[in-house]
Amino acid sequence: MIQLLKSRRSIRKYKDKKIEPEKIEKLKQAALLSPTSKSKRGWEFIFVQNKETLKKLSEVKLHGGKMLEKAALGIIVAVDDTDNDVWIEDASVAATCIHLAAHDMGLGSCWVQIRNRMYDYDENISSEKLVKKILDIPDKLNIVCIISVGYSNENKTEYDIKKLNYSKIHEERY
Ligand SMILES: Cc1cc2nc3c(=O)[nH]c(=O)nc-3n(C[C@H](O)[C@H](O)[C@H](O)COP(=O)(O)O)c2cc1C
């Protein structure tokens, strides 16, 4: 597990290569196996492989979403906040499980933040509103993020355990 976490990086450049259906199936399992508060499982996941749709999704925010255009897959993490005060946490845990499962299968991925992001501040158009429109997502769902996935086309060095900032860790009290 530590090796997986050490070598996990955000991958934003992808090869023009499809992801095998078995791997996509495993990503679905990773999403559905993620833990939620009170086992509410209020999330829903939209798996998008259509190139035109991915291009549209890559344009819903001004920065930090362009990699979706070249990704083989985008996974939209949506969640119902009805009677759930920790919907952001539930969705974030699921997104993290997907991100790690992708890496475990030799796929690169990156979190694209959608919640609290704007397409146009002056016109008050949120990225979330655009994602919902592109994918016909009902109003009751909140979009937290999109995970872009594909075979990596960049080399990123893994983290060095010796360089971890242990001052962030406190024992017994702050
Ligand atoms: C909550 C969250 C939101 C993020 N949003 C974006 C984003 O919108 N676009 C992007 O390119 N990367 C995004 N990232 C990836 C971070 O930039 C990345 O994890 C960080 O720079 C550390 O790099 P690493 O993942 O390679 O360790 C996000 C990560 C998290 C956890």
Side-chain angles (χ1 to χ4, degrees), residues 20-84:
E20 298 80 347
E22 311 84 76
K23 291 192 176 181
I24 294 186
E25 192 58 31
K26 292 234 163 64
L27 292 174
K28 291 176 181 171
Q29 292 168 5
L32 297 172
L33 284 166
S34 64
T36 56
S37 171
K38 299 177 187 166
S39 264
K40 277 193 188 293
R41 299 190 178 96
W43 25 234
E44 306 215 26
F45 307 93
I46 299 112
F47 279 61
V48 175
Q49 296 182 74
N50 180 281
K51 285 280 166 207
E52 277 172 36
T53 313
L54 286 168
K55 178 160 175 37
K56 284 185 197 161
L57 291 171
S58 76
E59 290 163 357
V60 301
K61 56 192 282 192
L62 296 178
H63 307 286
K66 296 282 175 286
M67 75 294 254
L68 275 163
E69 186 180 354
K70 304 275 183 211
L73 171 70
I75 305 169
I76 291 80
V77 182
V79 59
D80 189 343
D81 62 2
T82 312
D83 191 29
N84 186 354

Side-chain angles (χ1 to χ4, degrees), residues 5 8-12 61 63-67 92 96 99 109-114 117 145-146 156-157 159:
L5 293 169
R8 179 221 57 82
R9 298 298 310 272
S10 291
I11 299 299
R12 299 180 179 86
K61 56 192 282 192
H63 307 286
K66 296 282 175 286
M67 75 294 254
S92 301
T96 304
H99 186 41
S109 63
C110 188
W111 182 305
V112 178
Q113 182 69 19
I114 298 298
R117 293 292 176 264
C145 63
I146 303 175
K156 285 206 161 175
T157 48
Y159 286 100

Side-chain angles (χ1 to χ4, degrees), residues 6-9 154-160:
K6 257 176 71 175
S7 53
R8 179 221 57 82
R9 298 298 310 272
E154 62 180 320
N155 285 321
K156 285 206 161 175
T157 48
E158 66 175 41
Y159 286 100
D160 181 350

